[in-house]
Amino acid sequence: MAERRMISRKIAEDDRFVDMHPVSKLLYFYLVLNADDDGFVGSVKMINFLTNADQNNYDELLENNLILEPTKNGVYVITDWYAQNKIEPKIYKATEYLSVRALLFIKTNFAYTTNPDEKDIISPVDYWIKQGRDKKTPPEIQAQQYLEQFQETSKKVPRSVEETSKKVLAQNRLDKNRLDKSRLEQNRPDQTKKEKINKENNYKYINSSSNGGMGETLLNDGSSASSIENNATTENKGNSAVDSGTNQDSINSLFNYLNGISTTDIPKDNKRLANVFGMLIHNGYEIEDIQLGIDNIMNVANQMPQYQDKQSLAKLLIQHLPEYTKQTLERSSSND
């Protein structure tokens, strides 16, 4: 510790100092003499012995703002330390009471304060010391520099543990949702591919007026041009496609697929729809082709409230699935 410390005449001849008890004055001198390079005093038993000071003398110094006690752990701070002393950088040694120093702010007259709301504050003491304990640059400029630095840092770093926690939790939820979505897509790659195709081509199919006006026909619920009764009779020569036991598993899988992407649940004993599935299989369409036809009808049906119940949806599929499947396959072939 240094052998010499400075005391300003401005402090020693100030009214608040002159009017104090002589022991309090002596106590102040000894505190300054024994302070570290940041103006902190942590061991005062010897000082009390030399000055015969008691708590009343400390209280008098505190009341006159000559010392501070930021915490109740017996560490005292010389309020006007840097207004009176200048420690050269090459010999300066930071205080060991860093947790106490973190509670302080430096004012434009280079005095300490614990009140962050005072108007003449330059910056927190830790920041000011980190910047080199500058007493040459005008304090107002230093205050502006700190403010700019604080605002810039605030844009990059959350200013509270609560804010940080909220961001971490939000990011964790986002990452979890992405992971769950990725796993779902990996578990059903074929379905995901079809959904992507349907989204891209949805309005193209709805608004198409070529090939008999596919979208327009669907909007006309009274249309009977593609009635399944006529198609099944013509293409299957009156024979029900469900009669073939070899097709039953495929028909059941189509019902499962339909009910898996629909909000309704059409029973597998719907013979008319089963006949449609069986007729398409009998005519050589692959299960994947029929599923694409179902997808395209569902894209349209999901936008029309009148097709949200199972009866109307089944009727829609019975009337239009053959042509949708056929045109979907033709479009796919032309794209290839």
Side-chain angles (χ1 to χ4, degrees), residues 208-218 323 327:
S208 173
S209 60
S210 60
N211 297 317
M214 179 177 172
E216 295 174 0
T217 302
L218 183 57
E323 64 182 279
Q327 292 188 24

Side-chain angles (χ1 to χ4, degrees), residues 97-335:
Y97 305 109
L98 296 178
S99 61
V100 178
R101 195 180 76 180
L103 303 175
L104 300 175
F105 299 85
I106 195 77
K107 299 167 64 175
T108 54
N109 62 354
F110 302 108
Y112 288 134
T113 181
T114 57
N115 183 7
D117 296 325
E118 291 193 32
K119 296 181 179 180
D120 55 347
I121 287 178
I122 296 176
S123 70
V125 170
D126 283 349
Y127 178 85
W128 184 74
I129 291 177
K130 183 179 179 182
Q131 297 303 114
R133 300 173 298 129
D134 185 6
K135 295 178 67 175
K136 294 182 179 180
T137 304
E140 295 77 9
I141 296 178
Q142 293 189 57
Q144 181 63 32
Q145 290 173 344
Y146 169 73
L147 179 61
E148 293 174 354
Q149 175 68 22
F150 176 78
Q151 291 173 340
E152 183 64 26
T153 304
S154 299
K155 296 177 182 178
K156 301 177 182 178
V157 181
R159 287 180 288 176
S160 69
V161 174
E162 180 181 4
E163 183 179 350
T164 304
S165 300
K166 287 180 179 179
K167 289 192 174 185
V168 170
L169 290 173
Q171 185 62 43
N172 287 343
R173 287 195 296 268
L174 179 61
D175 292 341
K176 182 179 183 300
N177 290 339
R178 288 173 175 170
L179 181 59
D180 291 344
K181 182 179 179 182
S182 176
R183 288 174 176 172
L184 181 62
E185 291 177 349
Q186 290 176 2
N187 291 336
R188 56 185 188 96
D190 294 338
Q191 176 66 17
T192 303
K193 181 178 179 181
K194 292 183 178 107
E195 289 176 354
K196 182 178 179 182
I197 294 173
N198 293 336
K199 288 179 181 178
E200 292 175 349
N201 296 310
N202 182 23
Y203 290 101
K204 178 171 66 177
Y205 288 148
I206 292 174
N207 297 321
S208 173
S209 60
S210 60
N211 297 317
M214 179 177 172
E216 295 174 0
T217 302
L218 183 57
L219 294 174
N220 182 5
D221 189 48
S223 173
S224 59
S226 57
S227 173
I228 187 57
E229 289 86 355
N230 294 334
N231 287 331
T233 302
T234 303
E235 299 190 31
N236 291 289
K237 300 183 180 1
N239 295 325
S240 174
V242 184
D243 293 340
S244 174
T246 57
N247 293 335
Q248 191 60 52
D249 290 341
S250 298
I251 293 172
N252 289 337
S253 70
L254 287 172
F255 271 106
N256 292 335
Y257 179 80
L258 169 63
N259 292 327
I261 63 173
S262 172
T263 57
T264 64
D265 191 4
I266 300 177
K268 295 179 181 179
D269 60 0
N270 188 314
K271 294 183 179 180
R272 295 180 65 196
L273 184 55
N275 279 337
V276 174
F277 290 155
M279 178 268 294
L280 291 170
I281 295 170
H282 178 78
N283 288 338
Y285 289 101
E286 299 291 340
I287 298 296
E288 291 78 9
D289 299 331
I290 303 172
Q291 289 175 343
L292 283 176
I294 294 173
D295 287 340
N296 290 326
I297 289 181
M298 290 301 302
N299 281 338
V300 180
N302 288 336
Q303 301 177 50
M304 299 180 179
Q306 64 267 35
Y307 295 121
Q308 299 306 307
D309 62 273
K310 60 184 179 181
Q311 289 86 2
S312 59
L313 179 60
K315 181 178 179 181
L316 189 67
L317 288 161
I318 291 169
Q319 289 181 339
H320 298 286
L321 183 57
E323 64 182 279
Y324 261 55
T325 303
K326 179 180 179 181
Q327 292 188 24
T328 299
L329 185 60
E330 290 174 351
R331 290 173 184 272
S332 177
S333 300
S334 63
N335 290 334

Side-chain angles (χ1 to χ4, degrees), residues 20-28 31 44-63 67 69 76:
M20 289 194 307
H21 191 280
V23 174
S24 299
K25 297 176 186 177
L26 184 61
L27 175 61
Y28 181 78
L31 288 173
V44 296
K45 287 186 177 182
M46 179 58 70
I47 297 175
N48 294 341
F49 175 78
L50 293 172
T51 62
N52 200 29
D54 57 23
Q55 187 59 46
N56 292 329
N57 301 116
Y58 284 97
D59 290 342
E60 191 172 17
L61 294 177
L62 289 167
E63 290 172 3
I67 64 172
E69 190 180 14
Y76 296 95

